[in-house]
Structure formats: C-alpha cells, structure tokens
Amino acid sequence: MSGTLAKIAEIEAEMARTQKNKATAHHLGLLKARLAKLRRELITPKGGGGGGPGEGFDVAKTGDARIGFVGFPSVGKSTLLSNLAGVYSEVAAYEFTTLTTVPGVIRYKGAKIQLLDLPGIIEGAKDGKGRGRQVIAVARTCNLILIVLDVLKPLGHKKIIENELEGFGIRLNSKPPNIGFKKKDKGGINLTATCPQSELDTETVESILAEYKIHNADVTLRSDATADDLIDVVEGNRVYIPCIYVLNKIDQISIEELDIIYKVPHCVPISAHHRWNFDDLLEKIWDYLKLVRIYTKPKGQLPDYTSPVVLPYCKTTVEDFCMKIHKNLIKDFKYALVWGSSVKHNPQKVGKDHTLEDEDVIQIVKK
C-alpha cells in the first residue's frame, strides 16, 4: 500500500514541476494515465483476504433517491441533517439498526429521500486509509452529493473535497465525455476527431493507451477533449453525480455578501442552526434529482395522489414502472391507460415501451 502512495506522491510532484506547454503535453498525458491507474489500485485492492467482520459500512438502499452529505468536521453537517430530517421526516432514526450512517429519510413531494452522512471522506480516503474505501463505495451510489461548506472559509475546503471525490472517480456536475472508445484485436490505434483538438493528438492518445497496454483501438473524439477525459473513458469506472454546494452559517455574514453568494452556480446558502432557507435547498435538491412521480389508479376509483411511484429520470417507461412495483406485473401486462402530459389523449392506451412524464396517472390492464 505504502509503495503505491509513494509512487503517487512522486508522480504528483513531477506533474507539479513540469511546465504546461505543447512540447510537454504528451509527457503530462502519460503521467496522468499512470496516476489514474495507481489511484484505481488504491480504491480496489488486488486480491487479499476480505476484511474481518464488524467493519461493515453497507447501507441498505431505501427510498427513491439517496443523497450523500460531505463536509469537513464542524461545518454543521450533523445539524443540517438532523434539522432537515427533523422537520420533514416521518421515519425515526432507529428504524435502521446495523448502520453507521443513516440519519434519516425525508418525505418530499411524495418521494422518500434517504439522507446519508458520509464521514471521513476528507481525511485521505482515496489513499485507502481508514474505512475510507467503504465510504467511497457508498458515495458512488448516491444520486446527489451535497457538499456542506462553512460560508466563512468555503473555497479552500471546496477544492480539497472536490479533489478527493475526483480521486475516487466521482465527477461532479459534469456529463460523461463525448468520446467513442472501442478495443479491437488488430489494426493499431485509429483516431478520428470530428472537431479541432487543442490538447490530444495521435501521439498523446497512443501513449496514454499504451500505458493501459492497449495497442489496438478506435477512438472517436466528438468534442474538444482533454487527456483526463480520455483517461476517464478508458478507465470506464467513473460515476457522474450532480452536486450542490451548501453554504452554511449565513447568519454570520452581511446581506451584501449573501447577494454575491446567490449568484454562484450550484450553490445554496443556508443556516442549519436557524433553519433558514431550507425550502430553497429542498427545491434545488428536487431539481437536481430529476425524479419522476407516477400516480396509480385502480379501476373505477380515483387516482391515489398521496403515494406516487417514483422513478429516476432515465428509467421512466411503463415497463420500468411495472418492475418497480413487482417483477411479475410485466408478465400479465396487457396494456396501460395513461392520463397526463406524456400522451395526446386522456386516457390513452399505451404499451410497455411508452415513456412516462412527471405526475402522469396510470392504470395497468392485465391479461
């Protein structure tokens, strides 16, 4: 383990003292690839006996979405969590027994949202220290990450946390790079770019791939990509998670400063202690989670608007809806009647491939 860490430190030092220009871009690309490989070794160790029992940091996934809270100690994470969960929660914290983290589940607009405190991410978790690794595994399954910052010293913390998360292969508020990558058996590296590239050329791409022992592949660059983008695609284990920066303790600053903070993207100023601006935060959380609520309607009755079936925005077909309720439902499925914005007529008969939209009402007709 320590050997890997030493290597990482060495490469980071070399990158820091290398000037960035066209002549060194190639070399820097290689170093970046090496770094990514070493980091991956730290997160997923090779073989070895499993950790003994009693280490568990596995969190049962309950609810429709999961939000991870990250932040330095004493920025008010716990206060925020208990106040959010306290104000909006219907679930007692002791419903979960063996878990080290779940502080609560909140009900918001009919969706159950699980709030997780992710402890100890900051203190060198990506170097495999402590129980960082399990925390990372949980962090990667979140649908949204809230970075809690102290409004009086936000920027330094923000950088450190972002770097740590990037190191685990979590990309915040970004889309997967638009790069086609396909390994093949022969034919060398074939690079096609559909637009001008400022950083990557054939030589750099070949050397980065050679670092991964890939000598035959088709690479298509559909946007102006960086070496980091290419490495992300080759590693293939990156998760893209939306993120909101929560600036806490706004009761300690002036109104003018608050106006400036409001203009920063992905930012919500709050006071966890005084419970200021929680509704704004929840609204933003809802925006970023992009959940779709579907109401069910039993035959001959009014739709049930109290407990919607909540689907993630990428999986909203009628089939996904059936699978969410029970996997046997799709076997007896004949057609569905849908009311709402996704259909032209109300109600409209649809098949299992129809895509539903937020607040649609559905009635399943069985064979």
Side-chain angles (χ1 to χ4, degrees), residues 244-262:
I244 298 175
Y245 303 103
V246 182
L247 291 173
N248 189 14
K249 307 190 181 174
I250 54 171
D251 46 321
Q252 302 175 10
I253 60 169
S254 66
I255 298 286
E256 293 81 47
E257 289 170 294
L258 198 53
D259 280 343
I260 296 170
I261 291 172
Y262 252 111

Side-chain angles (χ1 to χ4, degrees), residues 79 92 111 126 152-153 219 254 257 290 329:
T79 319
K126 74 166 185 280
L152 300 174
K153 41 178 184 294
V219 181
S254 66
E257 289 170 294
K290 294 197 174 88
L329 190 55

Side-chain angles (χ1 to χ4, degrees), residues 19-264:
Q19 283 183 333
K20 283 190 179 62
N21 58 38
K22 280 214 169 102
T24 60
H26 175 85
H27 180 61
L28 280 170
L30 262 177
L31 291 177
K32 280 177 181 166
R34 254 175 230 163
L35 198 59
K37 274 170 64 182
L38 290 167
R39 289 242 172 95
R40 185 183 55 199
E41 269 172 40
L42 282 179
I43 301 175
T44 51
K46 291 190 176 71
E55 261 288 323
F57 182 92
D58 278 340
V59 184
K61 189 151 190 181
T62 58
D64 303 306
R66 167 187 266 189
I67 301 180
F69 283 72
V70 189
F72 276 85
S74 79
V75 291
K77 261 195 319 197
S78 334
T79 319
L80 171 61
L81 273 167
S82 53
N83 278 349
L84 263 180
V87 180
Y88 296 99
S89 156
E90 338 176 338
V91 181
Y94 46 76
E95 195 180 296
F96 310 96
T97 43
T98 53
L99 310 181
T100 39
T101 59
V102 172
V105 173
I106 59 173
R107 258 290 170 87
Y108 187 66
K109 295 195 178 180
K112 273 195 172 134
I113 300 172
Q114 185 181 28
L115 304 178
L116 290 184
D117 189 355
L118 300 173
I121 271 205
I122 315 307
E123 298 82 30
K126 74 166 185 280
D127 304 336
K129 294 196 198 89
R131 53 206 310 206
R133 201 176 283 137
Q134 290 128 320
V135 180
I136 295 161
V138 173
R140 289 173 60 107
T141 62
C142 292
N143 306 91
L144 172 67
I145 289 181
L146 291 192
I147 295 184
V148 187
L149 303 166
D150 189 329
V151 77
L152 300 174
K153 41 178 184 294
L155 288 173
H157 282 181
K158 176 170 175 258
K159 268 277 159 289
I160 296 172
I161 294 175
E162 282 174 347
N163 280 344
E164 285 286 332
L165 291 172
E166 294 268 305
F168 322 140
I170 294 175
R171 299 284 175 265
L172 302 174
N173 287 333
S174 61
K175 290 198 162 50
N178 197 349
I179 297 177
F181 172 71
K182 195 171 165 198
K183 286 191 224 180
K184 49 188 189 183
D185 298 335
K186 53 181 191 288
I189 302 285
N190 180 11
L191 178 68
T192 39
T194 54
C195 57
Q197 297 294 321
S198 55
E199 188 175 321
L200 292 175
D201 53 9
T202 318
E203 190 190 357
T204 313
V205 170
E206 279 178 0
S207 60
I208 289 177
L209 292 177
E211 192 52 51
Y212 285 99
K213 301 194 173 54
I214 296 171
H215 302 292
N216 301 299
D218 290 330
V219 181
T220 318
L221 306 171
R222 300 192 193 91
S223 57
D224 188 0
T226 63
D228 291 324
D229 290 340
L230 180 63
I231 291 168
D232 280 355
V233 172
V234 178
E235 283 273 349
N237 59 354
R238 304 294 189 237
V239 284
Y240 296 84
I241 304 180
C243 161
I244 298 175
Y245 303 103
V246 182
L247 291 173
N248 189 14
K249 307 190 181 174
I250 54 171
D251 46 321
Q252 302 175 10
I253 60 169
S254 66
I255 298 286
E256 293 81 47
E257 289 170 294
L258 198 53
D259 280 343
I260 296 170
I261 291 172
Y262 252 111
K263 297 193 175 75
V264 181

